[in-house]
Amino acid sequence: MADWIPTACILCTCNCGIEVQLGGEGNREFTRIRGDKNHPVSKGYACEKPQRLNYYQDNNARILAPLRRKKDGSYEEVDWDTAFSEVAKRLAAIRDAHGGDKIFYYGGGGQGNHLPGGYSTATRSVLGMEYSSNALAQEKTGEYWVAGKMFGGWPHPDFENCEVAVFLGKNPWQSHGIPRARVTLREIARDPERTMIVIDPRRTETADLADIHLPVRPGRDAWLLSAILGVIVQEGLVDEGWLAKHATDYEDICESLRDVPVDDYAKTAGVDVAAVREAARRIAEAESVALVEDLGVQQNRHSTLVSYLSRLVWVLTGNYGKRGGMGIPASMIGGGMGSDQGPAFDESQRPRSPVTGARIISGSIPCNSIPDEILTDHPDRFRAMIVEAENPAHSLADSQRMKEAFEALEFLVVIDVAMTETARLADYILPTPTQFEKAEATFFNWEYPTNSFHLRGPLLDAPDGVLPEPEIHARLVEALGGLPHEEVETLKEALSKGRPQFAAAFMSAMQSNPMVGAALPAVLYRTLGPTLPEGMASAAALWGLATMAFMSNADSVRRAGYDSPEALFDAIVESKSGMIFAAEDYEECWKRVASADGKINLAVPELYEELAGLESEAPVEGTGEWPFLLSAGERRSFTANTIMRNPEWRKKDRAGALRINPGDAQELGLSEGDLAKLTTKRASVEVEVELNDTMQSGHVSLPNGYGVDYPGVDLESTPIGIAPNDLTAIEDRDWLAGTPWHKTVPARVEAV
Ligand SMILES: Nc1nc2c(c(=O)[nH]1)N[C@H]1C(S)=C(S)[C@@H](COP(=O)(O)OP(=O)(O)OC[C@H]3O[C@@H](n4cnc5c(=O)[nH]c(N)nc54)[C@H](O)[C@@H]3O)O[C@H]1N2
Ligand SMILES: Nc1nc2c(c(=O)[nH]1)N[C@H]1C(S)=C(S)[C@@H](COP(=O)(O)OP(=O)(O)OC[C@H]3O[C@@H](n4cnc5c(=O)[nH]c(N)nc54)[C@H](O)[C@@H]3O)O[C@H]1N2
Ligand code: SF4
Ligand SMILES: [Mo]
């Protein structure tokens, strides 16, 4: 029998450990797939999606040689040397004429691949590229901004041990995003001592398991959460003793919530006020509460305000830094993903985007601002872009405008495995091995009090014409003259004597030549890379991360069994199924609260006006010309962003039906499977309908990730399903974080 080879599923943020058997043609097919019991987080769990993972590998849209766009718009193959020298020349010309800050980076990886983003920093610093963004700036940046103000870090839920679990605009039964989601959900649902609260307009699979489902009307969570907070304050349910010890400015916040008209707000939210009170009381009396918010509120009205209110719910009731509550984990990527400026930061000093002055949060420009940073004659506009491992022409709001912006660029390079909607607009496409043909890892590691990391080795040989991202970036850096060759030789020499000697030489090289720091991951890749086990050269950059992770969490890493940065790095490289790198007590996450006094800051004055304004604001509503609110992009059983381009992957819902309440359908004269015309202010499309009684009247939803061009360029392609962002608009976004309002797009549905 074939061996079981450990790797990870790449179809959602969980990256569950899986084991696969190879067979079929050239021994390149995954013939059997199962959860990996040795994975420290998923522990053998896997959902149905990876069973058909072959569709990612075996993909007619794959690109197998570097491509250069011809004048007529078609592509020709070029060899890698030509590609590197021409791409470097074009980028350098734009830098020299206009400055490196006019070259914009979008990327960093999708759901399974974050090593590329790690190496891109070399190319970016060598070119002096100042600005970047990625998909997180169309979902999580509002949350990061608030978490930065309150904690200076990103708290995560401990659903495994919580007494009360709250899911806010999140359907983990389908979208996962929490470890072993369905097992954990069932355990909470079965236990009479524990309570699950789900806030979602739709009676989702998760809501079906809930003890309390608050079916908020779409886009009205700000009123609902204010009402919950109003109950907590007005009924004296605030944990004052805990707050006195652990938080600042809570008195003022409580004072401002004392007047919230709970009954009115519950009514506006469309939720029975008795259920609101029950939920608030249950949260307040619980020993521990864990809460997660996701796209239902983050891609919606008032999203940054809601991120603030949802944090107040669990802070006012004393749920940070304890078992079953919330905590900031020890991180492998330090100040990376999820971190924004801490409580003491002066907001007037915040970096802003060069043309529109949008807030840059966690280092990213809001995705909805990108076209306006390009489509202008402003001298500071972006003139070139590198897009890597993401597909913004499909995934960002307002695809038409996004594509127009990409076309207006003087130069676009795309680094991807497939001919995507974005790749089709590129001047050069640099193809990479798939995530199973090279070493890979993700940085979505947010467990606490123990945290883990999973580096995977290659399972299959890569085809001849592709190069892994670390090699692409190292070669670009070399072509740009950014690799410090002398230091590279000195470092290799030091490394031949041992890793401690290498570490010492590295520190002194960084000090003596700034080029070493600028090209850091490329330098590691060229020095340490070749000494790593076969196929694992790409792990070299993790040496730097392991060193920093050790320095900032030495006690926790030691408790996990590694008493030096080198021991930690070796364990990462050797572990096949992932490893625990930090072990802590729950209380230790207090040391990551980054305020001067170590307390949680509750004052976020930037949001007070919006909060107070709820009282007189008319909530979003399906009415008049637009009687429906469309959720453009829902997670379903067979969606995985645009990772799977072949629609054959889907066992059901092949065309991605529009879900509609049966009563609404009847009024429109629509039956199951009928074609309907769906119109928003941006576009009109025809789509099959699915009568679905989990939908509220007036609310319709389309799945995410459909409508991709398949197979690809020069082949006849037939997009199946609707690309949701054909229907969305750039200006519909949060005023503060710029995150889009995808979940409440005013729409009209008509029978065809
Ligand atoms: N199967 C699958 N899983 C995935 C992905 C995938 O593509 N497919 N993508 C991954 C990614 S990138 C992400 S970010 C996560 C996202 O995971 P989720 O956020 O859970 O995904 P969604 O289904 O987009 O939205 C969640 C819920 O928001 C609800 N909602 C809509 N409008 C409102 C509203 O006004 N208020 C509230 N409270 N809720 C509302 C919807 O009914 C839906 O149930 O999933 C990850 N997991
Ligand atoms: N309307 C609407 N729009 C949405 C959403 C929604 O709910 N509604 N959801 C949004 C969310 S939350 C997210 S996270 C984004 C996701 O959208 P994107 O961030 O654009 O991510 P993916 O669709 O996952 O695209 C991943 C890309 O990586 C490529 N790829 C796969 N493996 C590799 C590799 O090893 N190397 C390289 N270089 N490339 C690789 C794939 O071919 C694909 O082009 O979509 C967003 N867009
Ligand atoms: S939960 Fe996510 S990572 Fe785990 S098996 Fe399912 S799709 Fe893959
Ligand atoms: Mo996402």
Side-chain angles (χ1 to χ4, degrees), residues 58-63 417-420 645 709-713 715:
D58 179 14
N59 181 337
N60 291 330
R62 260 196 91 173
I63 303 171
V417 293
M419 183 53 89
T420 66
R645 299 192 69 82
D709 296 328
Y710 186 81
V713 84
L715 297 161

Side-chain angles (χ1 to χ4, degrees), residues 536-600:
M536 301 303 273
S538 301
L542 296 174
W543 179 82
L545 290 184
T547 305
M548 287 190 296
F550 187 87
M551 292 196 308
S552 44
N553 304 286
D555 292 346
S556 316
V557 178
R558 279 207 180 88
R559 258 179 261 135
Y562 311 110
D563 57 12
S564 69
E566 299 303 336
L568 174 60
F569 176 64
D570 287 337
I572 290 171
V573 174
E574 280 154 26
S575 85
K576 303 279 180 251
S577 297
M579 44 80 75
I580 289 173
F581 73 87
E584 310 194 321
D585 295 326
Y586 284 98
E587 292 68 31
E588 278 175 84
C589 59
W590 278 107
K591 67 186 179 210
R592 297 191 189 94
V593 175
S595 57
D597 53 6
K599 292 184 177 182
I600 302 168

Side-chain angles (χ1 to χ4, degrees), residues 170-188:
K170 166 96 196 155
N171 179 18
W173 186 270
Q174 292 299 13
S175 69
H176 288 79
I178 66 169
R180 309 167 77 240
R182 292 173 187 172
V183 174
T184 304
L185 291 173
R186 280 203 208 94
E187 276 172 6
I188 301 171

